[in-house]
Each structure stands twice: as structure tokens, then as C-alpha cells.
Amino acid sequence: METRIVIPLQALGLEDIPIVGGKCASLGEMIANLSKAGINIPSGFAITTTAYYQFLRHSGLEEYIREQIEGIDFDSLVTLRRAGQRIRQAISNTKFPHELSTEIISAYMDLSREYGQDITDVAVRSSATTEDLPDASFAGQQETYLNVRGPAALIDAVRNCFASLFTDRAISYRQNFGYDHFSIGLSVCVQKMVRSDLGAAGVAFSLDTESGFKDVVVINGAFGLGEMVVQGAVSPDEFIVFKPALNGKFTPIIEKRLGIKDKMMIYGESNDQRTKVIPVERGNQQRFCLRDKQIMQLAEWVCKIEDYYTQLKGKWCPMDIEWALDGLSNELFIVQARPETIHSQKEHHTITSYAIESKTTPLLKGIAVGDKIASGKVNILFSLDKRVTEGTEFKAGDVLVTDMTDPDWEPIMKMAAAIVTNKGGRTCHAAIVAREMGIPAIVGCGNATEILSTGQDITISCAEGDEGIIYEGLVPFKETSLDLRELPEIKTALMLNVASPAMAFQFSHLPNKGVGLAREEFIINNYIKVHPLALLHHKSLNDASLTADIMQLIRGYDDEEAYFVQKLAYGIAKIAAAFHPGKVIVRFSDFKSNEYYNLLGGKYFEPEEENPMIGWRGASRYYSEKYKAAFALECKAIKKVREEMGLKNVVVMIPFCRTVDELLMVLDTMKQYGIERGRNGLEVYLMAEIPSNIMMAEEFAAHIDGFSIGSNDLTQLTLGLDRDSALIAGLYNERNPAVLRMISMLITAAKKQHVKVGICGQGPSDFPDFTKFLVEQGIDSISVTPDALTKTVKAIHEAEEMKEQIPYV
């Protein structure tokens, strides 16, 4: 087989990597073994490394190439670029051997006939023998040529692929990783094009690319050919699917995020212009590039591919996949698949976290890549040839700010402290390289090159969720490492308070028994951004500005209700997926009227209260005719998460419920809107934060599955003080004997009624001695913020180990 010039893809397998490279071998492996599972993969053929070596020998270029590389000073980009350009020009000017071109053209004509065409359209992709391997990510180091038609164009594309083995970035990359430039052969993959220029295309990963969380498929896509997504020329749509619920019973799409798809790449009109970029019409910009059914089909395929490679390799093998939707047939295709090479090699027993110590006003925001923080001087480059300030060289430790990157930028990128781009999404070139190099990046900022200035000191933070933030100046930050293996074992269930869905996957690596508190207010405030009643009734308010803002927010959704329900459901589902199958206790909204007032449109629906802290909040809203329609949206979101997405580990919690009668009214209202305690295993918890909850604990317990102590409000109402008042702040103390006695009474009553009781207030996070008291009282679970996990575990362990108990009450 080694002497063959051309081999059909279906005749190849992974054992053929030495002669056809990872790309061709992987495609052959999938065609042979996964086509029967219903996965569509376009046909094609591989031009083996034999052709590349014969081309080099026939041209007599090998010695010349060696001399050029030996003359490179790898600390000087100028010498690298000069040598690379000379090598590529020499290859491009060399005539292709007749015996090679004849066999390649014959295979191409056979492929054309297979598709019923005289000269079919093909993608011509380089497939290096070190590319797409689990221990080295060479993806994107060589060139791809799309919509190649006809024998002459094909041979030109193949020769250009050979030349691309010596692009500046490829030479630099091999040098950086210690690969011999001549031990790497180049194969070329010739594959039938999918007409995604009339449909959509993108990439998919069988894990979360930022945290390494295993249980999701992350899909990025845009209209037109997939190069725009890979290059980062557009900010793509993003879809996240929860793997464990992919069983045919549910639709576990746990996030859909509309991208900025203002451009698309389509077929050009000649071999001189094989592709061209055109604007996307406004209507398409505001809709998702895939329908739910297509998202599900693609996610199922990604899981099948991951399962196959995992079994083949005998260890977990997450995959990085390119997909295309044919606009003519409306069929999905997988056009490439390679092992993911970053998170699959990481161990998660060591957790390193980063935190800004003193925040300033953000200059700019975008999509966070990684979870680190870095500072440095801005260096704006619009191209590799021209700098904003002439004569300004890029120095190690600068922050690279640019419109977008491509593989040619990699020698500069590896010098950067951080990367900021105007365009791109989480799977664009800049994001992939930044992860690989372990440096933070913020992509898709929109106008970073306009807002920032060369020489300006900035700090970029990717440690605050999926939104990356750029701060003015060199902002101090701290780095903390924790080896989870050093934490002692404890018996008390330790849960986490998780506010941000964006941080959930990252926090899932921490030791936990689920989520003790997920607050809807965070999701509503940060993701939905508008008062629910304003969403439902804005058209009757005669406020054109409000209506315009709302119509902008709901782009991509069927209507206002769908926007609220789906956005809330996605936020809840992301947290529930991260901690599945652990219990995730979601508290219904508990905004006070002054907080609701500040939401978009809130002024039309909120009263002015003298003391909102003890006013119209929590349970009293849910059954009220003035708010009931908004609470219905929350119920529908919970129903969607549990019954459509399959995340039945979600538990609901009712806050600030003053009386048993009020509890019964809330339960009845929930039932009206499709969620009922006990149905499909739904549990209902009650926040224990009002003295009446303690005094009437046995009566409340008859209608719920558990209590969760809200120590902040319980302290406020037990001591009769306003926790927002600075005048009496010194009296506020969660460890006051009266508060401790309340908690002790509740735990006793709950145990008597065989009802679970936990705590989700701030106290255990702040005070280890308070944690010890709770353990001594026999509390079932303690839920703390992730940053307090270490000290809380140690406090619980110490309390459990104590032989003599300290009297608190």
C-alpha cells in the first residue's frame, strides 16, 4: 500500500496514518465503521505521502529547503518569513510530475462520476502525518482549498498543499514542539464538497471547550461554508446539548446563543475566485442556523463518534468535529473528526482559580477563552505586515489586539500575554490556539481595535464566567491552587451555591453533593434583563423605546414568552447538567420590588414600598393576580427543564413564605401551570427564613420535601433589624444565640417529621465555627459558595472528629 499514490477514503483506517495522515485516516475509519450507524460522510480519496516524497525527489528541492530552514533565526520573525516565502515559492513554481498528476486526475474523474457530474466540486485539504494526533494538535497548520473544480485546478491545489507544509506557522510550530521537518510527510484529502454555501456549517466538540466538562456536546455554526467559523471571521451561533439525556425521550438542548452572523462564505464564480464572502440578509442574522431537530441529530452523531473512538483507543477520547448542512438536500454531514488534544489530557484533581482583587469599570467585554487573568500593554496589529504605530515591534508579554487571527499569526501569538479579537467565537482559530498555549483570550469583542490604544495598560479577565472582561490598567489579581486530593473526607453532605450558569461547568469539578441554592434572580438579571410583565405587556404601554429594546433582546425567539421561558430554562439547565445526577435546588425568583423596578420596564409594574425587604416578595407574588402571569413563566421554564430536557434532578424551592395557607396557594398555582409536587418525582423545598417557618415547622413539613435555612433573612427577622442599614450593621450576627436557637429548633422539628433540612445562607461560607455548630446539630447538608469550599470542608471534618461538643445554646 505504501507505494500507491491514490487510495479511496473508504479503504483507509487509523492504521494508515503514516501514509495518509490523521485527517484522511480518520475519515476512512468513520466511513467504514460509522456510515452504517446513519452518519453521513462525503466520499473522496487520499493522495498518499508517497506522492509528496516523489514530488520532492523529482523537483530536487529537498536540499534547498533544508538550507533555508537551517538559516532561520527563530527569535527573528523576519528570517522565518523570508525563508518560508522562498520555500513555498520554489514549490509552487515546480512542475507537477506527469505520472503523479495522471493518477490523481483519474481518481478525481471517478469521484465526479460517483456523484453524476462531469467535474464535481471538491475540498482539497492537507493531511500531515503528525496532524490530528492526541499528543500534538497540528490542526490548521496547512491549507485547505474549497470548491475546487476540474483537473488543472485540482493539481494546482495539491501542489499548494505541499507548499503549505512550509508556511511560517507550520515551520515555527514543528520547531517549537521538536518535530523534524523532514520526518513529516504530507498527504492530501480530496473530498466531495457539501453545499453548505447554501446551508450552514461549523464545528462541534464532545466536551465543553473551556472547562473540560464531559457531559455536553458544544456546537458552533453559521450560514455558509464553515471556514468563516473556523477562521473566527464571524461570531457563530452556539448550542449546548446534555449527553446523558440523549436517549430519544428528551430534547436536552440546554443552551442556544445567537451569534453575529453578518457575513457568509459561498461559492465563487470561477477557479480564480473559488469562494467569496457576502453579507447575510438581516432576517437570517436574527435566526439560528440550525433547527432543534438538526441540533439533536448532530449531537447524537458526535456522541456516536466519541464512543467509537473511545472504544477503539481504550480510553476516553473526546472529539473535535467539523460538520456541514447541505442546503440542497437539507442533510447533515460530518466532514472531519479529530481527537481533542487539550482537556482530554488534563487531570482535574488540581483546581487553579483566579480572581480580580479590585475591579474597575470594564472597558470592553467579549467571549472568554480559558479561565485565567493577564495584564500587559496593548499592541494592535491589523496585519502581520503593518502595525498601527509604524516601527512598533510586538514584544513578549504584550497583549495582542486584532480583528481576527489565522494560523499565520501563531509565531506572534505565542509571545503574547493575552489575545483580544473583534471577531470570532469559542471555537475560532484564536480561541483554539490560546487554549493550546495556555493564555487567556477574549474573542468577539466587536470593536476592541477602536476602543483600545497601542501602549495602553490593560487587564483581561476570563475568570468571571463565559463573558471575558477587559479592565483599564494593571489590575491586581490573585491565583489560588487547590489539590482536591488533600481535602479530608466528610460525612455531612456538602453542596454548592451556584449563581452563574456560566461558571457551572467549571465548578462541577469541585467535590460536592449537588447544588443547595441556584437563584433565578441571577439568571433573570444577567441573561433575560427585562421585567417579565414588561415582556408580556410592553405593546400596550406606548413606550416605543422599551418595545425597541425588547424586540432587540428577543431576536431568534418565537415571541416574548418563549424568550423568557427558554432563557430561564437554559440557565437552570446548564447548572442542573453540570451537577447531574446530584440534586440542584432552584429557588423561584425573590426580587424585592425595588430590585424588580430596576429591570427593563419594571417601573410600570412595581409599587413603591417603604420597606421592600419585608414587603411584596417571594411567595406572596406567585398567587397574586398582579404577578401570577409572570410566575407562570417560571413554572413553564421548570417544566421545560425537567420534562423536555430530562433534567429531573431539579428541585424547586419557595422563598419567603409566611404562612401554611400561603404555601398551599403557591402549590396550587404551580399545579395550574403544569408543575406539581410528586409528579415525575418533583420535590418542593421551603426556604426557612422567617420565624413563622420555625414556629410552624411541623405544619409546613406536611406539604414539602425539605427545608433550606436562609440564614441572612432569618437573622434579620429574628433580631428585628434591616440588614441593609449601616446604622445597625454592628448588631447583625448570624451566630447570635437567638438565631442559633431558631436553627436548632428547626432541625429538631424537621427530623421529627422525617424531612430533610439544609442551609444555603452565607453564614457557613464566612464562619467555620458556625459550620461546626450546624454539624453538631445534625444538619443534613451545608451549601456554600465555591470559594469557601476548602475552609468549610476542613471545618466540617474538624466538627465531625470532635469528641467533646462545644455548647452554643
Side-chain angles (χ1 to χ4, degrees), residues 159-372:
R159 181 168 40 211
N160 287 336
C161 282
F162 289 168
S164 76
L165 192 57
F166 296 96
T167 56
D168 302 348
R169 80 259 185 177
I171 296 170
S172 173
Y173 205 93
R174 289 192 295 269
Q175 190 74 17
N176 196 40
F177 282 89
Y179 284 85
D180 185 317
H181 297 280
F182 291 94
S183 68
I184 295 170
L186 191 84
S187 169
V188 177
C189 178
V190 179
Q191 188 179 30
K192 177 69 175 78
M193 285 284 291
V194 175
R195 291 304 303 267
S196 60
D197 62 309
L198 305 173
V203 297
F205 287 83
S206 65
L207 82 173
D208 177 57
T209 52
E210 300 311 315
S211 65
F213 180 63
K214 295 182 176 185
D215 282 346
V216 289
V217 173
V218 176
I219 300 168
N220 279 191
F223 295 113
L225 299 173
E227 286 296 291
M228 299 294 279
V229 176
V230 174
Q231 292 172 2
V234 295
S235 297
D237 294 339
E238 181 164 284
F239 314 101
I240 302 179
V241 181
F242 182 52
K243 290 182 191 173
L246 273 172
N247 55 16
K249 298 178 183 177
F250 305 107
T251 305
I253 301 169
I254 64 171
E255 184 162 89
K256 289 169 69 174
R257 189 180 304 165
L258 194 66
I260 303 171
K261 310 181 298 295
D262 55 346
K263 295 180 292 184
M264 63 188 291
M265 183 181 286
I266 63 169
Y267 279 11
E269 294 162 4
S270 67
N271 272 329
D272 293 331
Q273 186 192 31
R274 295 187 309 273
T275 61
K276 62 181 179 179
V277 177
I278 63 170
V280 175
E281 59 185 67
R282 188 166 182 81
N284 281 341
Q285 289 183 40
Q286 297 185 359
R287 70 178 180 90
F288 291 108
C289 67
L290 290 176
R291 299 193 305 274
D292 286 2
K293 188 175 180 181
Q294 294 164 334
I295 296 167
M296 291 291 292
Q297 182 182 20
L298 187 54
E300 288 168 3
W301 285 4
V302 169
C303 289
K304 286 179 180 178
I305 294 169
E306 181 188 66
D307 289 345
Y308 177 79
Y309 277 85
T310 295
Q311 187 175 9
L312 196 68
K313 295 178 179 294
K315 64 176 183 178
W316 179 50
C317 186
M319 300 298 290
D320 169 358
I321 289 164
E322 293 185 26
W323 59 270
L325 174 66
D326 193 304
L328 291 176
S329 66
N330 210 33
E331 289 183 291
L332 279 167
F333 290 84
I334 299 298
V335 296
Q336 280 194 57
R338 63 180 73 87
E340 193 274 347
T341 56
I342 300 169
H343 284 292
S344 54
Q345 298 184 52
K346 284 186 178 179
E347 294 185 355
H348 292 287
H349 53 71
T350 300
I351 303 293
T352 303
S353 60
Y354 302 80
I356 294 285
E357 291 190 304
S358 57
K359 292 183 182 180
T360 60
T361 303
L363 294 172
L364 200 59
K365 295 181 180 180
I367 300 167
V369 177
D371 58 5
K372 294 182 179 179

Side-chain angles (χ1 to χ4, degrees), residues 745-762:
M745 287 169 60
L746 177 68
I747 294 173
T748 300
K751 288 185 175 298
K752 183 178 177 182
Q753 297 300 314
H754 307 289
V755 167
K756 294 285 186 182
V757 59
I759 187 168
C760 61
Q762 189 65 25

Side-chain angles (χ1 to χ4, degrees), residues 104-126:
I104 292 168
I105 291 167
S106 176
Y108 170 70
M109 300 311 292
D110 288 343
L111 182 64
S112 297
R113 283 188 288 273
E114 180 183 339
Y115 283 93
Q117 297 174 307
D118 292 333
I119 51 170
T120 196
D121 48 338
V122 293
V124 181
R125 294 186 174 95
S126 309

Side-chain angles (χ1 to χ4, degrees), residues 639-664:
K639 182 180 173 70
K640 184 178 183 69
V641 171
R642 287 178 51 83
E643 298 181 16
E644 292 183 29
M645 299 180 183
L647 287 154
K648 294 186 178 180
N649 58 323
V650 167
V651 173
V652 295
M653 182 155 65
I654 301 168
F656 223 80
C657 185
R658 297 170 170 95
T659 70
V660 175
D661 285 343
E662 190 172 44
L663 171 62
L664 293 176

Side-chain angles (χ1 to χ4, degrees), residues 538-716:
H538 68 94
K539 290 177 182 175
S540 65
L541 298 174
N542 296 318
D543 184 336
S545 176
L546 173 63
T547 293
D549 288 342
I550 288 175
M551 297 312 291
Q552 176 69 15
L553 282 172
I554 68 170
R555 289 176 307 121
Y557 294 86
D558 291 342
D559 54 37
E560 290 87 345
E561 178 176 317
Y563 169 77
F564 187 97
V565 170
Q566 291 180 38
K567 276 280 196 182
L568 182 56
Y570 293 148
I572 293 169
K574 202 167 181 186
I575 298 173
F579 294 90
H580 187 273
K583 191 175 291 185
V584 172
I585 302 173
V586 177
R587 189 179 72 185
F588 286 125
S589 63
D590 190 26
F591 283 119
K592 290 78 177 174
S593 53
N594 58 324
E595 294 167 336
Y596 263 126
Y597 185 95
N598 292 326
L599 286 172
L600 186 63
K603 65 182 181 180
Y604 293 108
F605 302 97
E606 293 301 321
E608 287 188 17
E609 296 187 277
E610 289 294 327
N611 194 341
M613 191 69 77
I614 54 173
W616 194 37
R617 59 175 289 197
S620 61
R621 284 181 173 260
Y622 307 153
Y623 56 85
S624 165
E625 291 303 325
K626 292 181 179 179
Y627 190 80
K628 202 174 181 181
F631 182 62
L633 303 182
E634 297 183 38
C635 293
K636 290 175 182 178
I638 294 292
K639 182 180 173 70
K640 184 178 183 69
V641 171
R642 287 178 51 83
E643 298 181 16
E644 292 183 29
M645 299 180 183
L647 287 154
K648 294 186 178 180
N649 58 323
V650 167
V651 173
V652 295
M653 182 155 65
I654 301 168
F656 223 80
C657 185
R658 297 170 170 95
T659 70
V660 175
D661 285 343
E662 190 172 44
L663 171 62
L664 293 176
M665 285 190 282
V666 172
L667 292 173
D668 183 62
T669 306
M670 288 166 52
K671 187 176 179 180
Q672 290 176 39
Y673 296 119
I675 57 172
E676 182 180 358
R677 180 183 173 224
R679 196 179 83 182
N680 295 318
L682 176 64
E683 291 185 357
V684 177
Y685 275 45
L686 183 75
M687 283 288 285
E689 54 193 338
I690 305 170
S692 63
N693 300 147
I694 313 300
M695 301 302 176
M696 302 288 289
E698 292 190 25
E699 288 83 351
F700 277 110
H703 307 288
I704 60 171
D705 299 284
F707 290 101
S708 185
I709 301 164
S711 56
N712 293 340
D713 271 329
L714 184 60
T715 301
Q716 171 179 243

